[in-house]
Amino acid sequence: MVTVPIQTGSISVHKTASDAYHLLNDICLLTEGSRPKVLGDAKLTTEFGLELLDSLLVVHIGTIAQHEEDVYIFRARLMPFIIKVLSEKASYNVTVRTVRLLRLLIRRLLPALVAEIEMAISLINHLLESNSSPTWKRALCLELYKDIHDEPTLVRNIYAHYDDAKGRQNLIGDHLAILVRLAAEKPAVIGLGQRSSGFESQPDLPAEQIAIEAGGLSGAVSIPDEMSLNKQGISANWSTVRTSCIDQIDKSEPPMLPATYLYSLVLTCINLFSDGLAKFLLPFTIHPDIKPNGKQKSAIKRRSQDYHVTDDNEHFTERDAPVNSFPKAKRLPINPLTLGDHEKFDQIVTSARIIEKSWPALLATSSTFLNASLDSDYYHTLIRSVQRFTQVAGLLDLVTPRDAFLTTLAKHAMPSAQVHSVKTPVAGIFMEQQMNDTSDSEDTKHKVKTAPSLSLTPRNLLCLRALLNLGTALGPILQDSWSIIFDSLYQVDIALEVINHRPPPQNSGNRVDVEEIEELDDLSVEKNAIEVAVSRLFESTSGLPNQSFVQALDCICSLIYNVSGLPIDPAPEPSPVEQGKLSLNVFRPRHHRLPSLAGVRTNDVSGVKDIMVILDRTNQMVQCNTARFCWTSSSESGWSTFMRLLIDHLCSSAVVAEVRITAARNMDATIRRITSFMNRDRLHTEPVRRCLEALSSAISCLWKSKGTQGGLSCCLEIHSIALGSLLLMLEECGDTLRSDWDAVFSIINSVFEWTEKPAADEEKRPFEVAAFTSRSPKLVRSAFASLQLICSDFLTSIPNRCLVMLLYAQHCYCSQSEDLNVSLTSVALFRNVSDFLQLDGEGHGRLLVDPDVARCALHTLFGIFDACGDRLDAEAWVMCFRLVFSHLFSAGESELTETLDPEHADVHTWNETSIILVRSISKTFMQSLGALSRHRALRHVWNQMLANFAILLKRQHLGLSRAVFGALTEILCEIERVSCTESISLDIAWTLWRDNVPTSCNPQRNIDNNDALTTYLRYITQLHSMLSNGFDTAQAEIVMAILRSCMTHSAAVAYSSDVDEMTPVQKLVLEALDLVSKSSEEVLTQHIEVVSLFVGLAFQITDDDAKQGKTYIALSKAAMETVEVLAKQQDFKAHGSTSYLLAVIFQALAIPIRLKYKWQREGKGITAWKKATSTFLSILDSDVIRDCSGSGKDTQDMWEAIANIIDGILAADTDCCDSPSTVRTDQAFDIESFLRLQNVIIPTLGSPTIPDKIRRKYTASIFEHSLLHEPHPDDLARPEQELLDGLRSQHVGRVQYLPSKLRSEMAYVLVDQLFNLAAVHDGSAKRVRLAQVAAPYLILRAGLVLKAYICDQPLRGLMPQPLSQKKEMHYVLKKLVDLDSEPKAVPETSGVRSEHKKHLFLVFSLVTKAMKAAKKDEEMRTALTQVLDTIGTDLGY
């Protein structure tokens, strides 16, 4: 074994490895011109040495990489030499070999030579700067980078080792930044201008060069002539060399390079860079469960090899499904950054960071070359690069770079505007717009004019095609960026529309004319490719997810609104004939300011064709999504957006007639496609309903804004188109309509204009014929065709509720005078309808009991009684009630026996009719009371009416309940007014109220029952006032139970809150409870229980109540006031269960007090816990507890509740309070409340009837909340230990800062109270019991302070004791000295004779230990000495 040096020292290797090491070292020494160490006098030229090293690396790279000593030679010898050669002005043959060697080292030994390669690449970047090195040297550097970019994995490794590593240089970033500067270094050389331009023809090669290339001579190199060297623009003909400089190792002098060679290398680097990113990232975006077919596999393979500006985007496009089948939404492409478990995830992240950091430089470089003179190949390559980079940025969800490159493509897809002379020959295709009309005179023909124009080239269309292909590929994730694509397509469409209307150029032999003809041919080819790309793009939208399609549709609709300049108005209100029709959702397009083609339009000043072009494109996209509109909801499919667009344009007065009619025809075409599609599925009728709604909305808006564009004729044409759509829908799927006939009849009747509006009352509208005129005979005939079809083929499909609408429509067409044939035919149609209704008697019967008919009949019947009731005597009224009104109730019930489902439409309709019946009956009953008040049959009529009402209430309908109890309340008031209460039975009225609580109505649904409960509670209040003796005890208990149920089951009031003010139901419940308790003193207990429940209701709210928005906060505060009033009444003090009632009240008040800051939902005014505290103190101030001296369970529960309230007053979770000022204010309130409380309960709390556990709980609360600082856990006794056992524990002290509690004043007040409880007073038994309980807690409180000082102070060293702890300790020591404790409270200590200072002997040992700890704290030693002096004085020393 032989020892050889390495980077970190030395290493032992075999003899053969040592020989290889020394040989490699000598080769490096000879190459750099130094004397070898082993080879003796051997000599090598630098060129040969470099080539030898190159060969060694190529053949033996694997062996060298495994030997650290060989790598060390490269690091210590070769890399410094390479850097030296590159930094100096070495000869060409040395430099080229050095660069080749560096390329090999970067490829093979990058991880081993990180720092050295960083320096070398940084030097390469510097050499690329302008004027830093000769052109041939810059070319070598760029060729090196070209080879690096040709290996994407190497690019990622370089970025990961340097750009993405801390402390390293941004090599890739600097390289791309240099490319930006290099691209713009000499604008004239690359032909930089306003846009990119091509070249006329290929240059002629010299004869000698042609002979060399044709002969295929070995080693021949293409030598550009002087003309090619200085040629402007970049072309494969003069901007490249046959052999790269880095491969010309047989040359001793640098070759002559074209002036644009460097720029061609820049373009190649950009292309390889983007191609490497695409090859690596695109496969990760494919879902693993997708098995592509052969065509798709080949497309994916081509994409991984090269990415052409073609339409091969099967990667994201499902094009095999037909347009009219149900679209299978393509899944969103996988974002590679979400593949966290993939083995190459780190490389994916590196690629994403490369894109995120490098896109500005790449965009700037690409933008420069997009405006330069490039030949076709280079321009296509550049577009492919931009397209690849855009796609990978989009797939990685990098929105900013994606949109930046999309915008760049869009900018270069748009034709450039310029001003030119009509007679001036120019290159390119010009689209002229004459600013003034030209005449046919000879003088005008020869007159030269200037006009703004656009220059459109095939390269513009190439950029647009790339945009369209990106839209196809990135469609599911483009979002608002669709607007970039659609804006560009619109601008190019305008230019192409102008070209189509220009006369073709004449071939006069002029060179400019020939070029113009050739460019027109190229433009025609690209135009065809554009149409194919557009078709593919729109076809691909059929497979987009709904959200993505809606985003695309929103963008193209926004473009239409911007082009037309149409303001966005809110959706119009429906006309009277459209009531009940669902309205379309209002589309709110996003307004973008478009880059306009100033002064250039498609030969019409008004810009009609501009709008027509984009409308046609929109219709083309919608046509591909017919199945989506049929199978998806209107909001998710974009139907509402598209229909709102068409309706806004066909109805707007600011839009020209041609555009309005086109919008109407687009709507008609869409409806026809949907109707034809749905004719195959007869069960799915939702799309038909949408179409009818769209037609109805369009017609309604049309006649509300007739406008001036086209006038009346335009509106009539649009209306006629809509009627044609309706007729087609009826012909195709009229038999499938179910609930949409009201919209059909609304459209049919839209041809009439009402000079007198129909009644707004929905109950009367079908039976009142208003005055009308027809809009046009043509419209009448068009609409009547639909009506005639309905009467002949679809009568059986019309529901009962729409038969009246049919008859009304027939009446209108029969009455019109515009077309006699229509009127006569309409009369004949009445016979068809009549035969249908009388076919089996069923139809006619259904028509008679139609709800509209029934309501009209009720209005008519009771209108008669209202007008003539004062003429009827008592007998007549009795007859009416028995024979007429009773049958009205039974008729409605018989109709409902066939329908058991309460949600059925007929049940709902008859409930509404029953409400009208109840109101009418009650009004008539009150009208008849004057005649029936003294009649013997009044009781029977009353009982029968209540029985009928009871039948209605069994339906459990809130509206019926509100109507019945509201009507009965008014009737009871009227009975009380006419003084005939004794003639009726109030027991039945009570039973009706008891058995029909509205809270049970519709228990499965969240329905607002507040109105029903309000009338229900007012009814019981009125009934109570009419009872001479009020409710008995049993009734009162029932009432309270029902009132409690009403409170908890009432729904939240809409658009209101019960935080600051009670709801009407809550107010009425409290009022009713007060009335009931006054009528029966025996229910005081139940009254207090119910009200106490209301006190805590806000703090025990259920999830269902929270979802509804109920809080009960205002109710809780009002209930507190109520219990305070009840507790202060004389009846309360005389009650036999005072302790129980106080326990119930105090337990309810304890809930908000103990929650304090934890309860955040507070209203205005005083907080709930303060209100509860004030109520509690007010009740105690009334001396009610003095009468509660028993020893039963009720008394114990009361005192336990008092102890809980005291703990709630003392406690405060300050972490839940955001305002320190609030904490301080509330602390003062709690201190005042606590001191007031002590005056009431002390010394009563020491009574022998109160268990010791309550006194201990009270004292423990005082002790717990008197602690200013958190004690050490070991100083507190465990559950199985005695209270003072924790003071004997041993533990390490604490030196960290212990914050004091925010409520420090409260803590000191409680310390005082603790000492006060243990102090000697009058020696009574009550005081002694309190002192005996307080004494252990007092010793523990003082011991914790001393123990903390003993353990913590020695660890502080010279650091002083925290001020808050110091203040607390001085205060406790002073209180210990001043305290005269109760002798019976402190246990006797052997050998100690003391009467009032025995407590000091219990802390004596702690005081002496504290003296040792305070050897450097004079102030504390003085305070401790006073304690010891007091002990000595008490002992007589």
Side-chain angles (χ1 to χ4, degrees), residues 986-994 1020 1023 1031 1035 1038-1039:
L986 294 179
D987 291 339
I988 300 177
W990 153 256
T991 303
L992 185 70
W993 183 85
R994 180 195 64 194
I1020 194 59
L1023 181 62
F1031 297 126
Q1035 289 177 330
I1038 293 174
V1039 171

Side-chain angles (χ1 to χ4, degrees), residues 909-921:
T909 303
W910 275 108
N911 284 336
E912 297 298 325
T913 304
S914 298
I915 292 174
I916 299 174
L917 177 61
V918 168
R919 293 172 180 170
S920 302
I921 289 285

Side-chain angles (χ1 to χ4, degrees), residues 198 298 1105 1289:
S298 61
D1105 289 340
S1289 65

Side-chain angles (χ1 to χ4, degrees), residues 713-853:
S713 61
C714 177
C715 294
L716 293 176
E717 179 67 21
I718 295 172
H719 200 156
S720 178
I721 293 173
L723 293 174
S725 301
L726 174 64
L727 180 61
L728 175 71
M729 292 177 65
L730 291 174
E731 290 174 349
E732 294 288 340
C733 49
D735 56 338
T736 64
L737 297 179
R738 292 294 180 267
S739 59
D740 307 314
W741 284 101
D742 49 353
V744 173
F745 290 118
S746 172
I747 297 172
I748 291 175
N749 288 335
S750 64
V751 300
F752 301 112
E753 185 175 10
W754 277 266
T755 57
E756 169 187 326
K757 289 186 177 181
D761 190 352
E762 187 69 21
E763 300 169 357
K764 299 180 181 180
R765 182 179 60 78
F767 307 100
E768 292 188 358
V769 179
F772 62 87
T773 60
S774 61
R775 302 185 189 274
S776 166
K778 178 182 177 182
L779 294 183
V780 170
R781 289 189 292 270
S782 299
F784 185 71
S786 299
L787 181 63
Q788 194 172 6
L789 181 62
I790 292 171
C791 293
S792 60
D793 295 343
F794 302 123
L795 284 178
T796 56
S797 301
I798 301 177
N800 295 336
R801 61 183 180 83
C802 295
L803 288 175
V804 176
M805 299 180 184
L806 171 63
L807 297 176
Y808 184 68
Q810 285 184 281
H811 165 77
C812 292
Y813 283 90
C814 181
S815 303
Q816 58 85 29
S817 58
E818 298 291 337
D819 193 308
L820 179 60
N821 290 333
V822 170
S823 298
L824 295 176
T825 308
S826 182
V827 173
L829 292 179
F830 273 110
R831 179 62 180 269
N832 293 353
V833 178
S834 176
D835 293 342
F836 166 72
L837 295 177
Q838 297 177 3
L839 188 60
D840 56 2
E842 260 182 49
H844 185 60
R846 290 198 302 269
L847 181 60
L848 288 180
V849 297
D850 185 273
D852 290 331
V853 179

Side-chain angles (χ1 to χ4, degrees), residues 51 54 86 92-104 106-107 124 136-148 241-251 254-255 257 261 265:
E51 290 186 11
D54 186 277
L86 292 177
Y92 170 79
N93 53 358
V94 173
T95 304
V96 70
R97 287 168 174 79
T98 303
V99 173
R100 288 170 60 86
L101 188 58
L102 177 61
R103 177 180 63 181
L104 196 56
I106 294 174
R107 284 176 175 173
I124 293 292
W136 62 267
K137 203 168 188 178
R138 298 176 74 187
L140 279 175
C141 295
L142 279 177
E143 288 174 352
L144 171 63
Y145 264 116
K146 183 190 71 171
D147 293 339
I148 291 175
V241 295
R242 286 182 60 87
T243 304
S244 301
C245 293
I246 199 171
D247 294 328
Q248 297 186 32
I249 58 176
D250 56 340
K251 300 288 185 180
L257 298 175
Y261 179 59
L265 288 176

Side-chain angles (χ1 to χ4, degrees), residues 129-322:
E129 294 285 0
S130 177
N131 300 324
S132 62
S133 60
T135 301
W136 62 267
K137 203 168 188 178
R138 298 176 74 187
L140 279 175
C141 295
L142 279 177
E143 288 174 352
L144 171 63
Y145 264 116
K146 183 190 71 171
D147 293 339
I148 291 175
H149 286 303
D150 200 27
E151 299 183 27
T153 304
L154 183 58
V155 175
R156 293 193 297 271
N157 290 338
I158 293 175
Y159 189 89
H161 279 90
Y162 302 109
D163 296 64
D164 208 22
K166 292 184 178 180
R168 297 291 183 183
Q169 298 186 46
N170 297 328
L171 299 184
I172 298 296
D174 293 343
H175 162 62
L176 294 175
I178 292 171
L179 294 187
V180 177
R181 296 191 289 273
L182 197 155
E185 188 175 295
K186 296 179 180 180
V189 173
I190 61 174
L192 189 64
Q194 295 297 322
R195 63 173 186 173
S196 178
S197 60
F199 307 101
E200 299 174 1
S201 60
Q202 296 183 355
D204 297 330
L205 295 177
E208 295 81 3
Q209 183 68 22
I210 296 176
I212 292 175
E213 294 183 359
L217 297 179
S218 175
V221 179
S222 175
I223 303 175
D225 59 6
E226 183 179 356
M227 178 180 176
S228 298
L229 290 175
N230 299 320
K231 190 77 172 180
Q232 289 187 351
I234 305 173
S235 172
N237 297 318
W238 60 75
S239 299
T240 59
V241 295
R242 286 182 60 87
T243 304
S244 301
C245 293
I246 199 171
D247 294 328
Q248 297 186 32
I249 58 176
D250 56 340
K251 300 288 185 180
S252 60
E253 297 296 331
M256 297 178 60
L257 298 175
T260 55
Y261 179 59
L262 294 181
Y263 301 99
S264 68
L265 288 176
V266 172
L267 285 172
T268 304
C269 288
I270 293 175
N271 179 51
L272 293 174
F273 180 69
S274 60
D275 184 55
L277 291 172
K279 284 181 179 179
F280 177 69
L281 292 173
L282 282 179
F284 296 109
T285 64
I286 305 174
H287 289 269
D289 56 341
I290 293 179
K291 297 182 179 179
N293 55 33
K295 183 178 179 181
Q296 292 170 332
K297 287 181 180 178
S298 61
I300 295 173
K301 184 176 180 181
R302 284 198 306 272
R303 253 197 320 276
S304 65
Q305 296 173 354
D306 199 352
Y307 196 97
H308 299 282
V309 187
T310 62
D311 304 297
D312 296 326
N313 291 293
E314 292 85 356
H315 178 53
F316 295 127
T317 307
E318 299 176 18
R319 300 175 48 208
D320 297 331

